[in-house]
Amino acid sequence: MSDLTTTTDGKQKSSNTSDINNVSQVSLPTEHQQQSTKTNRTPIILNGPNREKYRSPLNTRYASVEMSYNFSEVKKFSTWRRLWFWLAKCQQQLGLDITEEQLDEMERNLTNIDFDFAEAEERRRRHDVMAHVHTFSRCCPKASPIIHLGATSAYVGDNADLIVMRDAFDILITKLVRCIQRLTQFAQEYACLPTLGYTHMQPAQLTTVGKRACIWIQDLLMDLKNFDRMKRQLRFRGVKGTTGTQASFLQLFNGDHSKVEELDRMVTEMAGFSKAFIICGQTYTRKVDVEIASVLASFGASIHKMCTDIRLLASLKEIEEPFEIEQIGSSAMPYKRNPMRCERCCSLARHLMTLINDPLGTHSVQWMERTLDDSANKRICIPEAFLTADIILFTLLNISEGLVVYPKVIDKHIKQELPFMATENIIMAMVSAGGNRQECHERIRTLSQKAAERVKIDGLDNDLVERVKNDPYFTPIVNKLDVLLDAKTFIGRAPEQVFEFISREVEPTLKNFLIPVTP
């Protein structure tokens, strides 16, 4: 039963009488105050949608057309009608008295939905499914007697939700594959470009720009596999009846268990699913929603980590997200190039990660075969999770195809830190030239401390290399310093790891989705 109704002007009203009674406790403006407000208010020019009502930014500002449609009323209620049509068609094939004329009438009106009539019916009946049964019957008078035959509300509600979530994963998977593809091209291009590594957000051993990108890609590959696994493992609720026992359908088929089983199988197949739940209460287990929200939240964590890395690198001026010619970074500071796309992804990712709490709570309080307190919560959190993931991926596509790298800035930062990192190499070279390891260590330590003092206290460049060159003790290796300080000798197997990772993990995964690595 519906716990919320929608009026023709779009306002939502509670069907709970306690909510209605509580209105009297709210301090409402008097008729005089309302009239005064209307008189003094500056006229608003409305162009297009009604801007005097709240509209979710997820739908109006961010999400793609395809994902918005996927969770639209048109998609939802036309899917309900398809489910009713499939049920009737299969019932006919299994021997129930349903005519071709009735089926044809239903099929012709799958998308012929009078939403105004349906909303009026819901206000009248306080039941969304029965409102649409009557709306469908209105345009299918001949089929009216057999619409929703033997079914319960969850037959259309739950099965339609499963279809919509499956289709939503298809939309996300396509976009995620493209993001991985673009980041892979970026990783290949910069596989050998040395850059400072950071642990504890402090300079550490060198890595490469491409290797760091592979850390992001590896997380996204795990998300891609999670999306694909979740989509493939989704099971149809199927044709189960009021409490999942199929009693009503067993009665329709005069106790013929084989026909009830076949009906369930046939409708499941028509809906495009390979499996249906054998066991369910009135609804499919809400643990499914927990698993779906979990993989989406996990994806949100991957995005937050990646985009935070890019924001930090942007603050160092080493890497930037795309910045358009007429883009404004700050209303007060014209020079700024804020990483607004990555900031948006982080903001939305935080929201996505929090949505897991709703399905967890809902599943935990589904008493016995079902309680209706899942409905209002579910119709908010599940669409929001997919819509949020969708806009994150749309934004990430833009980021990943236009990342800008500044090699000279990266090299400057390396040169500020590399002399300290190279001290061990210098000691080994001096020992090889006949020096004493302990004596060399003490001299390097003293010079390093003085250079560090110059950097931290005086704010000057690191001059450790010059100090080593000017110290007669290190004369035997002065001509080797350029080699000892070559950044590429400090990146280990990072380039090889990049290409091995791409060939052994990225390319085989992307091939499964029929999208090559290169354009």
Side-chain angles (χ1 to χ4, degrees):
M1 180 164 179
S2 172
D3 55 345
L4 190 66
T5 59
T6 306
T7 63
T8 52
D9 64 356
K11 294 180 180 177
Q12 292 180 332
K13 293 183 178 179
S14 172
S15 61
N16 190 321
T17 55
S18 63
D19 290 342
I20 297 172
N21 293 335
N22 287 337
V23 172
S24 61
Q25 302 172 13
V26 180
S27 178
L28 298 174
T30 65
E31 183 178 348
H32 173 75
Q33 289 171 326
Q34 290 175 334
Q35 186 62 40
S36 175
T37 301
K38 292 178 181 178
T39 303
N40 297 331
R41 188 173 61 187
T42 303
I44 298 174
I45 300 175
L46 297 177
N47 216 349
N50 189 341
R51 302 184 187 277
E52 291 187 314
K53 298 178 181 178
Y54 174 77
R55 299 182 300 150
S56 171
L58 284 175
N59 188 42
T60 60
R61 183 178 178 90
Y62 295 129
S64 66
V65 172
E66 58 270 25
M67 190 63 83
S68 293
Y69 172 76
N70 190 56
F71 285 95
S72 69
E73 291 185 350
V74 170
K75 172 71 176 281
K76 176 180 178 177
F77 295 122
S78 63
T79 302
W80 283 15
R81 291 191 174 188
R82 284 183 172 82
L83 285 161
W84 281 319
F85 171 69
W86 294 334
L87 178 63
K89 186 177 181 68
C90 295
Q91 287 173 333
Q92 183 215 43
Q93 292 176 5
L94 291 170
L96 293 191
D97 186 16
I98 297 173
T99 67
E100 286 295 331
E101 186 178 22
Q102 288 173 315
L103 293 176
D104 289 344
E105 187 179 54
M106 292 175 73
E107 190 170 21
R108 286 196 307 271
N109 287 282
L110 293 178
T111 58
N112 178 26
I113 304 173
D114 187 339
F115 285 99
D116 289 338
F117 182 81
E119 289 167 359
E121 282 292 295
E122 186 171 352
R123 286 196 303 276
R124 173 187 170 196
R125 302 178 186 278
R126 292 292 189 262
H127 198 292
D128 54 353
V129 173
M130 286 309 300
H132 278 271
V133 167
H134 285 280
T135 303
F136 197 16
S137 296
R138 187 166 179 250
C139 57
C140 298
K142 294 177 182 177
S144 178
I146 53 93
I147 292 174
H148 200 66
L149 184 59
T152 188
S153 298
Y155 168 71
V156 288
D158 271 29
N159 284 325
D161 286 349
L162 289 163
I163 291 170
V164 167
M165 291 188 292
R166 178 197 63 194
D167 295 349
F169 271 121
D170 280 332
I171 295 171
L172 295 184
I173 286 170
T174 299
K175 292 179 180 178
L176 182 51
V177 167
R178 289 174 182 166
C179 287
I180 294 173
Q181 182 182 35
R182 292 173 182 180
L183 286 171
T184 299
Q185 294 166 2
F186 177 84
Q188 289 174 320
E189 183 177 355
Y190 294 102
C192 300
L193 180 62
T195 187
L196 282 176
Y198 288 88
T199 58
H200 311 275
M201 203 50 211
Q202 302 298 313
Q205 191 176 46
L206 268 59
T207 182
T208 68
V209 172
K211 169 65 185 295
R212 180 176 286 137
C214 286
I215 294 175
W216 305 334
I217 295 168
Q218 182 169 250
D219 287 350
L220 294 178
L221 275 181
M222 294 172 69
D223 294 317
L224 177 61
K225 291 174 182 177
N226 284 339
F227 286 3
D228 186 55
R229 171 184 56 80
M230 193 68 244
K231 188 198 82 169
R232 292 178 184 276
Q233 289 181 357
L234 274 180
R235 286 182 284 175
F236 202 52
R237 177 194 176 273
V239 182
K240 297 297 192 295
T242 305
T243 58
T245 65
Q246 299 178 307
S248 59
F249 296 103
L250 193 61
Q251 184 175 0
L252 278 175
F253 288 104
N254 299 315
D256 191 332
H257 288 263
S258 63
K259 285 191 175 182
V260 176
E261 291 175 5
E262 183 64 8
L263 176 67
D264 201 359
R265 186 199 66 77
M266 290 171 67
V267 175
T268 297
E269 186 176 286
M270 292 190 79
F273 287 82
S274 59
K275 295 180 180 178
F277 283 100
I278 297 174
I279 298 296
C280 70
Q282 186 172 92
T283 67
Y284 66 78
T285 171
R286 294 308 186 225
K287 197 170 183 67
V288 173
D289 296 342
V290 173
E291 292 183 349
I292 288 173
S294 179
V295 299
L296 293 174
S298 177
F299 164 70
S302 301
I303 294 299
H304 204 293
K305 183 266 188 293
M306 172 186 167
C307 290
T308 298
D309 283 354
I310 296 174
R311 291 166 65 188
L312 291 169
L313 292 168
S315 75
L316 297 172
K317 296 181 173 58
E318 292 189 358
I319 292 180
E320 285 184 343
E321 65 180 38
F323 197 89
E324 298 172 14
I325 294 175
E326 295 184 5
Q327 182 175 329
I328 297 173
S330 168
S331 62
M333 296 167 280
Y335 62 89
K336 294 196 74 178
R337 294 168 68 94
N338 298 333
M340 49 82 69
R341 292 174 179 82
C342 287
E343 289 174 315
R344 177 189 299 166
C345 283
C346 287
S347 179
L348 291 168
R350 287 199 306 275
H351 177 63
L352 181 56
M353 288 186 283
T354 65
L355 291 175
I356 180 62
N357 291 318
D358 277 347
L360 280 171
T362 295
H363 176 56
S364 69
V365 297
Q366 286 300 286
W367 305 340
M368 307 303 182
E369 278 63 51
R370 190 264 176 105
T371 58
L372 190 60
D373 59 351
D374 63 338
S375 179
N377 189 295
K378 186 179 190 299
R379 72 176 67 192
I380 295 171
C381 71
I382 294 298
E384 279 201 0
F386 280 105
L387 288 164
T388 303
D390 178 67
I391 184 53
I392 287 173
L393 280 169
F394 180 82
T395 308
L396 188 63
L397 279 167
N398 181 265
I399 294 169
S400 60
E401 72 178 355
L403 282 174
V404 180
V405 178
Y406 297 105
K408 291 184 178 180
V409 176
I410 293 173
D411 185 59
K412 178 183 177 182
H413 291 159
I414 290 175
K415 287 178 178 177
Q416 290 174 346
E417 302 292 340
L418 191 58
F420 295 135
M421 299 177 188
T423 53
E424 184 68 18
N425 290 13
I426 293 173
I427 292 172
M428 293 301 100
M430 279 297 297
V431 171
S432 297
N436 180 290
R437 194 266 176 195
Q438 311 310 329
E439 182 181 358
C440 182
H441 182 278
E442 179 59 24
R443 284 181 175 270
I444 280 288
R445 187 189 70 80
T446 301
L447 294 178
S448 296
Q449 294 296 329
K450 291 179 180 179
E453 185 176 298
R454 169 185 165 89
V455 171
K456 295 177 181 179
I457 296 178
D458 299 332
L460 300 174
D461 290 338
N462 187 337
D463 68 344
L464 177 58
V465 175
E466 291 303 314
R467 291 176 185 273
V468 170
K469 287 181 178 179
N470 293 331
D471 189 326
Y473 177 82
F474 293 101
T475 300
I477 64 162
V478 167
N479 61 346
K480 298 179 181 179
L481 284 177
D482 288 342
V483 174
L484 294 174
L485 292 167
D486 183 359
K488 290 185 178 180
T489 65
F490 290 82
I491 59 176
R493 297 191 64 253
E496 290 77 13
Q497 289 176 341
V498 169
F499 293 112
E500 180 183 5
F501 172 64
I502 291 172
S503 64
R504 293 180 58 184
E505 295 193 29
V506 181
E507 288 180 338
T509 300
L510 296 189
K511 284 180 181 177
N512 290 334
F513 297 93
L514 304 178
I515 296 180
V517 172
T518 54

